[in-house]
Amino acid sequence: MVGTLEKDAREEVLQAWYMDDSNEDQRLPHHREPKQFVSLEQLAKLGVLSWRLDADKYETDEELKKIREERGYSYIDFCEVCPEKLPNYEEKIKNFFEEHLHTDEEIRYCLAGSGYFDVRNHNDEWIRVWVKKGGMIVLPAGIYHRFTLDTDNYIKAMRLFVGDPIWTPFNRPHDHLPARKEYLQSFGTTQAGDHAVDTTA
């Protein structure tokens, strides 16, 4: 177990917190009052994995190579999300922010800029995960989630995939999909269980 004095290096590029219920601009932080942060260990209990890597040397990074080999991420490409680079920007951003799931993992490695990946916990609360340059995040198949930029309006990310990429989003509700059922079986489904996790984290 990591001691309280030993800071997790990932926390410099990945932070998470419970979101408020405000309908204000989706690009704002949306902290609760008072702020309630979520540890990376708690995220892992939801199946959300994370790493801190050196984004300036992604082409030769042995750690990235090792992760790709261990997890079978054979495919990569790059995407830039900003008003200047993304065609139909406003429409795309709205689509990204629709709550959805995928039947495969969603893997994103932030090479520049930053953005928010929002995920649902077992009590159906939103947890906002802020990913900055050097942060790599894996959302498991079957988790309900969404994405938005923050107020800097820019992210450049590497997208990774096992085999040929399938980007199909299934907007909520799609609870009947095998990927959703498998996610709930793997990472727990009961509200009481989630509270038990929170209090012992």
Side-chain angles (χ1 to χ4, degrees):
M1 184 175 173
V2 177
T4 53
L5 297 177
E6 188 179 335
K7 185 172 173 61
D8 188 329
R10 294 176 298 168
E11 292 175 2
E12 294 180 20
V13 294
L14 294 141
Q15 293 176 350
W17 55 83
Y18 285 107
M19 292 186 69
D20 64 19
D21 296 321
S22 165
N23 290 321
E24 283 188 282
D25 187 342
Q26 67 194 46
R27 299 167 306 146
L28 295 173
H30 285 279
H31 277 286
R32 288 184 180 176
E33 196 56 55
K35 294 177 180 178
Q36 287 181 269
F37 289 93
V38 176
S39 71
L40 298 178
E41 287 71 29
Q42 284 173 285
L43 286 181
K45 289 172 183 174
L46 297 174
V48 179
L49 306 179
S50 58
W51 292 265
R52 181 185 179 173
L53 301 171
D54 186 345
D56 292 324
K57 63 170 191 177
Y58 68 86
E59 293 173 295
T60 58
D61 187 1
E62 287 298 319
E63 190 175 355
L64 175 60
K65 182 181 177 185
K66 182 181 174 189
I67 293 167
R68 289 186 62 193
E69 288 174 352
E70 287 177 351
R71 300 187 65 83
Y73 298 151
S74 54
Y75 174 93
I76 65 166
D77 69 8
F78 302 88
C79 65
E80 281 186 286
V81 182
C82 62
E84 298 78 22
K85 297 282 181 75
L86 189 66
N88 303 316
Y89 171 78
E90 293 294 340
E91 181 185 344
K92 289 274 178 61
I93 282 293
K94 284 178 183 170
N95 289 342
F96 293 157
F97 203 61
E98 283 285 327
E99 184 176 0
H100 62 279
L101 60 77
H102 300 289
T103 55
D104 297 276
E105 289 181 339
E106 178 168 316
I107 308 110
R108 298 291 182 270
Y109 175 17
C110 180
L111 302 178
S114 51
Y116 294 129
F117 293 84
D118 299 340
V119 298
R120 290 280 194 189
N121 73 358
H122 304 318
N123 296 322
D124 227 25
E125 298 168 301
W126 280 117
I127 295 173
R128 172 150 280 189
V129 186
W130 192 20
V131 182
K132 295 178 273 190
K133 179 181 176 180
M136 180 171 166
I137 189 171
V138 176
L139 305 182
I143 193 172
Y144 282 121
H145 66 282
R146 63 191 182 189
F147 171 79
T148 187
L149 291 175
D150 57 27
T151 51
D152 287 340
N153 286 313
Y154 180 76
I155 192 170
K156 180 180 180 181
M158 178 189 291
R159 304 190 298 181
L160 301 96
F161 206 85
V162 177
D164 294 327
I166 302 167
W167 310 121
T168 309
F170 295 94
N171 287 354
R172 190 171 184 175
H174 265 86
D175 295 337
H176 64 283
L177 288 180
R180 179 62 181 168
K181 292 177 181 177
E182 288 165 16
Y183 171 75
L184 293 174
Q185 286 173 355
S186 298
F187 296 104
T189 60
T190 64
Q191 293 185 5
D194 188 66
H195 281 303
V197 165
D198 284 350
T199 56
T200 58

